[in-house]
Structure formats: C-alpha cells, structure tokens
Amino acid sequence: MRRAIEYLNDLDIVCVQTLGTYALNQEVETVKRAIEMMKSHRCNRCLFDHRQTEVIAETMEAYERSDRYKEIGLEPQMRIASLLQEITRDLQFYRDAAVTRGWTVEIFDDYDAALAWLKKSDQ
C-alpha cells in the first residue's frame, strides 16, 4: 500500500491519500503519522482519501480499531473523515464502534460531503 500524508494549509486539514490495499488492522502507523502531523500544525481535522484503495475491514478488526486510538494519540476533539469508493457493512460497523467510544469519525463516498463535515467544527 502506498500513502501520502500532507497538510493542506488552505483547508487546515491533514490529508492522507492511499493507493492499493489498506488493511484496517495493519495500518496503525498511517494513523499515527497523520495524528503527528495534525498536532504539529495544531489542526483537528483529517481526511483519509481511500477512493483508489481497497479497504479491508473485518468485523472484529473494525471493532478493535477504535480501541487503539487513544494509545496512538488521537484526541476526542479531532475529526477524522474517511472517503471511500463504497461504504461496506464492516466499515459502517467501524464507524459506529468508534462513535460509540467517543471518537469523532465519519465515513463518506462523496468528497464535498466529507469536506463539509470536517469544516463543521468551524461554525
């Protein structure tokens, strides 16, 4: 899997673009790097653009993923939007499990909707 992580100054968003296969249980390092960049720019918004990626998320991996967020530095006020080609049941389950645990995450299949949701914290 290839990834590019950059800070978009004009949007005040960290953007992570992935290409290939993104296995939810194996890509903790990608999230760590994104969180580090968010903190270095005093930014609370991150967009994971997985539109060119096959995201693999089995139910238990999706459930356990949100349990690891605190240990890797995610803070409750940070907003994470994942942009996908297709929103599967397992990815919806991941989103529900994360929100239930207090994380501000959402999944989208529309770029403009994802940006609008991330920017909601500005209002």
Side-chain angles (χ1 to χ4, degrees):
M1 196 257 335
R2 294 190 335 215
R3 67 176 170 249
I5 304 173
E6 64 180 321
Y7 174 70
L8 305 177
N9 191 47
D10 56 327
L11 297 173
D12 189 31
I13 291 173
V14 169
C15 182
V16 179
Q17 286 190 297
T18 58
L19 180 64
T21 302
Y22 185 97
L24 201 62
N25 68 332
Q26 297 173 0
E27 290 302 328
V28 175
E29 189 61 33
T30 301
V31 179
K32 280 183 183 178
R33 290 184 186 182
I35 291 169
E36 289 168 2
M37 187 172 287
M38 290 168 71
K39 288 180 178 182
S40 73
H41 289 280
R42 292 189 166 97
C43 167
N44 286 327
R45 300 178 294 204
C46 185
L47 174 66
F48 279 80
D49 185 349
H50 296 303
R51 290 177 291 180
Q52 298 179 19
T53 306
E54 176 189 7
V55 178
I56 299 171
E58 296 178 6
T59 302
M60 285 311 296
E61 295 165 352
Y63 181 78
E64 292 168 355
R65 173 73 169 225
S66 61
D67 283 341
R68 299 185 73 191
Y69 281 154
K70 186 174 183 176
E71 71 186 55
I72 61 174
L74 189 67
E75 298 171 1
Q77 72 274 13
M78 293 178 169
R79 300 172 73 80
I80 297 181
S82 293
L83 184 58
L84 307 156
Q85 286 181 10
E86 176 186 3
I87 298 173
T88 64
R89 287 177 58 179
D90 283 334
L91 289 168
Q92 186 63 49
F93 180 78
Y94 150 74
R95 180 253 176 228
D96 294 345
V99 169
T100 298
R101 286 172 175 74
W103 303 116
T104 310
V105 301
E106 192 58 76
I107 56 176
F108 299 90
D109 57 8
D110 177 85
Y111 179 80
D112 292 330
L115 283 184
W117 181 83
L118 284 169
K119 291 180 177 182
K120 271 176 59 172
S121 63
D122 289 344
Q123 299 171 350

